[in-house]
């Protein structure tokens, strides 16, 4: 089974433009992420896929594998799908370009899902984190996920799901972390399926997989990733990197 990592890397991020090229301890954020993915030793190959010549050149400069997107893409899945369509791979793991401190434990759990799925029932695997803070639960920026008894996703929403009508019943809330491992066929099917109405309404790409009948296995993790979405996040990342060196 050939397993690769794909790191989608857009230059223009709405909240923090050019963040992937910001300096993080002497190297751009995207180079740190790429090197961490290689060092994780989980993948046969690691690629960055980008729409930006600046990012392309920065990865090429360190001897990394990088692909240029040929089209404009709405979401990370589309960008990755275009890149892997002609590659000979079985499992594609999407690694977030703005998360240079890679959570190797969670990624290896995602990969092991497919190694034990001998019947090929699972199309995708993704991560969920339990939320206990009411503000986090109510926040529409946190995508919530509910699963069935076997941890397959039933639905994702920016709304609070499940709705807690009966306060006597204990309910757990889970946030979806946008890290995926895909079977290549599921990713290519997604790419060739138009955006579905519920996906368009919620602005959550994994709903398209559910709407076309794909099975998404959710793995619980307790690790909160450190993503770089704001200049403040970058400052935190710089401090964390310094602490790791000492």
């Amino acid at each position: 089974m050939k397993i690769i990592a794909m790191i989608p890397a857009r230059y223009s991020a709405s909240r923090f433009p050019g963040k992937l090229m910001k300096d993080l301890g002497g190297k751009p954020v995207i180079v740190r992420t790429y090197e961490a993915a290689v060092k994780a030793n989980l993948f046969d190959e690691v690629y960055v896929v980008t729409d930006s010549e600046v990012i392309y050149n920065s990865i090429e400069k360190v001897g990394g594998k990088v692909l240029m997107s040929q089209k404009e893409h709405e979401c990370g899945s589309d960008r990755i799908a275009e890149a892997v369509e002609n590659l000979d791979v079985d499992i594609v793991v999407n690694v977030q370009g703005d998360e240079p401190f890679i959570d190797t434990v969670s990624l290896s759990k995602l990969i092991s899902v497919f190694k034990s799925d001998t019947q090929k029932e699972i199309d995708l695997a993704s991560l969920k984190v339990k939320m206990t803070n009411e503000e986090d639960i109510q926040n529409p920026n946190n995508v919530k996920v509910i699963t069935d008894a076997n941890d397959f996703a039933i639905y994702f929403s920016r709304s609070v799901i499940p709705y807690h009508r009966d306060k006597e019943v204990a309910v757990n809330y889970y946030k979806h972390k946008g890290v995926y491992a895909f079977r290549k066929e599921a990713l290519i099917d997604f790419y060739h399926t138009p955006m579905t109405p519920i996906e368009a309404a919620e602005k959550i790409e994994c709903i398209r997989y559910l709407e076309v009948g794909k099975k998404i296995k959710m793995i619980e993790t307790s690790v909160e990733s450190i993503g770089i979405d704001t200049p403040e996040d970058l400052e935190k990342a710089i401090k964390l990197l310094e602490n790791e060196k000492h």
Side-chain angles (χ1 to χ4, degrees):
M1 198 159 69
K2 187 169 182 186
I3 300 163
I4 65 166
M6 275 279 171
I7 308 172
R10 277 177 67 232
Y11 186 82
S12 57
S14 52
R15 282 192 287 179
F16 188 12
K19 65 182 180 179
L20 296 182
M21 287 304 298
K22 298 294 182 196
D23 183 83
L24 177 53
K27 294 177 182 178
V29 169
I30 188 63
V31 170
R32 289 267 175 215
T33 305
Y34 174 81
E35 290 177 347
V38 171
K39 202 172 147 195
N41 232 0
L42 295 170
F43 311 108
D44 297 311
E45 291 177 302
V46 177
Y47 293 89
V48 171
V49 55
T50 186
D51 58 355
S52 154
E53 282 187 20
V54 179
I55 291 173
Y56 185 97
N57 294 338
S58 73
I59 297 297
E60 208 174 39
K61 199 169 146 191
V62 296
K65 293 181 176 173
V66 57
L67 303 166
M68 199 76 172
S69 290
Q70 301 305 308
K71 302 176 189 164
E72 282 295 312
H73 294 295
E74 286 285 323
C75 64
S77 284
D78 283 341
R79 191 179 298 284
I80 293 170
E82 183 208 272
V84 302
E85 194 153 28
N86 300 313
L87 294 178
D88 179 24
V89 300
D90 300 296
I91 305 298
V92 182
V93 181
N94 124 290
V95 173
Q96 307 284 33
D98 61 359
E99 294 187 8
F101 303 99
I102 283 177
D103 171 14
T104 51
V105 175
S106 296
L107 288 179
S108 61
K109 281 182 185 172
L110 286 183
I111 291 165
S112 67
V113 161
F114 294 98
K115 289 184 173 169
S116 56
D117 180 32
T118 50
Q119 300 300 309
K120 294 198 172 180
E121 288 179 317
I122 298 167
D123 298 299
L124 292 80
S126 196
L127 299 175
K128 62 176 185 176
V129 183
K130 192 181 281 185
M131 291 188 291
T132 52
N133 181 307
E134 191 58 34
E135 200 176 314
D136 289 340
I137 293 165
Q138 297 291 339
N139 185 345
N141 291 324
N142 291 331
V143 172
K144 273 64 74 175
V145 60
I146 45 174
T147 54
D148 68 12
N150 296 313
D151 275 329
F152 284 102
I154 297 172
Y155 190 58
F156 299 86
S157 184
R158 296 182 183 280
S159 293
V160 179
I161 50 171
Y163 177 75
H164 204 175
R165 183 178 173 187
D166 186 344
K167 301 296 181 191
E168 301 292 307
V169 179
V171 169
N172 288 325
Y173 291 97
Y174 290 97
K175 177 168 86 168
H176 177 223
K177 279 180 73 172
V179 177
Y180 301 92
F182 314 85
R183 285 197 191 282
K184 180 184 171 181
E185 309 88 80
L187 189 56
I188 301 306
D189 284 352
F190 174 94
Y191 185 45
H192 293 296
T193 303
M195 188 185 283
T196 51
I198 306 173
E199 175 199 2
E202 288 255 27
K203 290 284 178 281
I204 301 171
E205 66 183 76
C206 46
I207 290 175
R208 191 186 318 178
Y209 289 99
L210 294 181
E211 284 196 82
V212 297
K214 301 293 183 195
K215 297 193 81 171
I216 307 177
K217 182 81 164 179
M218 299 302 297
I219 308 292
E220 187 172 351
T221 177
S222 56
V223 181
E224 271 291 7
S225 52
I226 299 163
I228 297 172
D229 281 324
T230 64
E232 293 73 34
D233 292 338
L234 183 62
E235 290 306 315
K236 281 183 206 162
I238 290 166
K239 286 196 177 75
L240 190 60
L241 194 66
E242 283 168 0
N243 292 340
E244 279 186 355
K245 286 177 182 170
H246 297 311

